[in-house]
Structure formats: C-alpha cells, structure tokens
C-alpha cells in the first residue's frame, strides 16, 4: 500500500505466488503516528491491487476504513463513522464539529499524501466554538432560528462539501449545510497553519429554498 504504513498486532494469512491475503488485529501506524487503534482488518495484495479494509477506533470514534491502491495509480481512502466530530479532529481537519454520521472519500494525488481531493457527507452534527457563525445567524431573525442555536453549537441536519488540499490550503466548494430553518452554501480556502479562512456564500430560510426547488427543476 505504502512504505509509511505499518501494523503492530497479530496477522494470520497466506502467501501464494504474488498474492497475500490475511486478517489482522491491532494498530495501524502511518509513519510514526497511530492511524487506527484496536482494529480488525483484512489485507489483500496481488500484482494488480492492494487493499486494506476493516473497523477500529480513530480518535475514539468507531470507524470503518477502506484503503486501496491500484498498480501505477495513487491510493484512495474511505472513512465511515457515527461520530464524525471525533474523526475530523483525529485526522487534523477541525475540532469544531461534534457528533454526526459521516462518510469521507479521499483520492490522493501524490505519494506523500499531502495533495488530495475528496468529498465529505454528514448528518445530524453541530458546529461548536464558532461564536462568529452563531452571532451571524442570531441577527437574521428567521423563524425558528432559536431552535438550532443551543449550548451544543449550531445544529445541522445535513452537510456536504467537496475539498482539495494542496500546499497546506484546503480549497472547498459546493459546501451545503441545512437545518430545519436554514440553508447555507459556500466556497473558499482554509489555511490551517495560519488559522485563516476566505469564504463567500449565501444563507437563506429553508422555507424559501423549498419554494424555489418546488418551482425550478434541480
């Protein structure tokens, strides 16, 4: 799969000709950093493809993982979890998301894993520690706005975003968040090192969005 990936634990399997197939229990390391703890995963490798899939803990969140690499192609990675907040925090994306069913698809664009594109989809999550967002929403006076502003942050029913990481900048587009009262769309650039964001977008009452969608085919 990659020379930086290693496993500690127990491995039981078979090697025949150019094929390797096994079941492993333990921990996956990426370089010297723990990537998946207390996991059970299946490994398959032959002359055309290498695959690792299973389930374990990432940042305390039980997560399904599917990692595979075709010969002469860069690898792809899929995460699925019922606690997207812990997963995003463990992966270094953000600590401002809490809970949420989440699926992350990533396609790497180099062998160093620092250039990739992907998509994140989530349901029933909250954005916390973001007073600027909460203050902005509270002045809009939309009907029902109070129901999504709680001590747990701003709650959303669904969220989707396309992202691309290059030179430590997250370029994101087609960001779409919906709650029972609001629909939010945005695009922009997030720089983690500088802790800065440049974003443009729009906010509208969900009732207005529903009316528009009922008239315009989409």
């Amino acid at each position: 799969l990659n020379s930086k990936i290693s496993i500690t634990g127990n491995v039981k399997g078979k090697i025949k000709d150019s094929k390797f197939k096994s079941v492993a229990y333990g921990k996956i390391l990426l370089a010297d950093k723990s990537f998946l703890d207390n996991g059970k995963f299946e490994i398959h490798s032959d002359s055309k493809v290498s695959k690792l899939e299973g389930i374990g803990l990432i940042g305390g969140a039980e997560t399904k993982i599917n990692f595979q690499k075709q010969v002469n192609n860069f690898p792809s990675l899929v995460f699925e979890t019922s606690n997207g907040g812990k997963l995003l925090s463990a992966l270094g994306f953000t600590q401002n998301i809490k809970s949420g069913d989440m699926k992350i698809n990533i396609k790497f664009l180099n062998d160093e894993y620092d250039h990739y594109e992907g998509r994140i989809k989530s349901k029933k999550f909250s954005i916390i520690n973001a007073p600027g967002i909460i203050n902005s929403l509270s002045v809009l006076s939309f009907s029902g706005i109070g129901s999504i502003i709680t001590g747990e942050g701003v709650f959303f029913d669904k969220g989707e975003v396309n992202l691309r990481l290059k030179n430590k900048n997250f370029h994101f587009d087609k960001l779409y968040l919906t709650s029972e009262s609001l629909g939010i769309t945005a695009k922009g650039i997030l720089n983690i090192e500088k802790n800065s964001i440049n974003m443009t977008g729009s906010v509208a009452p969900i009732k207005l969005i529903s009316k528009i969608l009922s008239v315009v085919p989409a």
Side-chain angles (χ1 to χ4, degrees):
L1 292 168
N2 186 276
S3 60
K4 295 180 181 179
I5 295 176
S6 59
I7 298 171
T8 62
N10 300 305
V11 179
K12 182 178 181 180
K14 295 181 179 180
I15 299 175
K16 184 177 181 180
D17 300 325
S18 62
K19 294 182 180 180
F20 173 68
K21 188 174 182 180
S22 73
V23 176
Y25 299 86
K27 177 185 293 187
I28 299 176
L29 302 175
L30 182 58
D32 58 350
K33 183 178 180 182
S34 175
F35 186 67
L36 185 76
D37 295 325
N38 301 320
K40 175 186 176 182
F41 31 90
E42 297 180 359
I43 303 169
H44 171 87
S45 181
D46 57 33
S47 59
K48 296 181 179 180
V49 64
S50 297
K51 296 188 292 185
L52 184 153
E53 55 183 329
I55 187 168
L57 298 177
I58 300 180
E62 187 173 87
T63 304
K64 292 181 181 179
I65 182 174
N66 185 310
F67 188 94
Q68 59 179 288
K69 183 181 185 304
Q70 303 281 342
V71 173
N72 299 323
N73 282 313
F74 298 122
S76 62
L77 178 61
V78 179
F79 295 105
E80 289 187 71
T81 183
S82 59
N83 195 324
K86 287 185 177 180
L87 175 61
L88 290 179
S89 178
L91 295 178
F93 282 100
T94 178
Q95 297 182 356
N96 290 351
I97 303 294
K98 186 171 183 179
S99 303
D101 295 329
M102 184 172 290
K103 184 174 183 178
I104 303 176
N105 290 273
I106 293 175
K107 173 64 177 177
F108 293 100
L109 302 175
N110 67 359
D111 286 322
E112 284 70 40
Y113 294 176
D114 58 2
H115 184 196
Y116 59 81
E117 60 186 13
R119 183 166 180 79
I120 300 176
K121 296 181 71 173
S122 186
K123 296 179 180 179
K124 301 186 182 305
F125 62 96
S126 298
I127 297 178
I128 60 176
N129 298 327
I133 294 176
I134 294 176
N135 290 337
S136 298
L137 293 177
S138 18
V139 301
L140 295 176
S141 301
F142 291 153
S143 174
I145 189 70
S147 64
I148 67 168
I149 299 177
T150 68
E152 297 298 319
V154 184
F155 178 80
F156 291 97
D157 295 305
K158 293 182 181 180
E160 299 181 15
V161 64
N162 291 338
L163 58 88
R164 184 181 182 93
L165 174 68
K166 187 174 184 181
N167 298 326
K168 299 182 179 179
N169 285 314
F170 280 100
H171 298 257
F172 61 92
D173 64 8
K174 297 183 180 178
L175 171 67
Y176 184 47
L177 307 174
T178 59
S179 70
E180 65 179 27
S181 302
L182 291 175
I184 299 175
T185 62
K187 63 179 180 179
I189 300 175
L190 170 67
N191 186 296
I192 294 180
E193 277 193 341
K194 297 179 180 178
N195 196 27
S196 64
I197 187 168
N198 186 344
M199 181 177 69
T200 59
S202 60
V203 180
I206 197 67
K207 291 181 180 179
L208 175 60
I209 294 175
S210 299
K211 288 180 180 178
I212 295 173
L213 292 181
S214 65
V215 176
V216 179

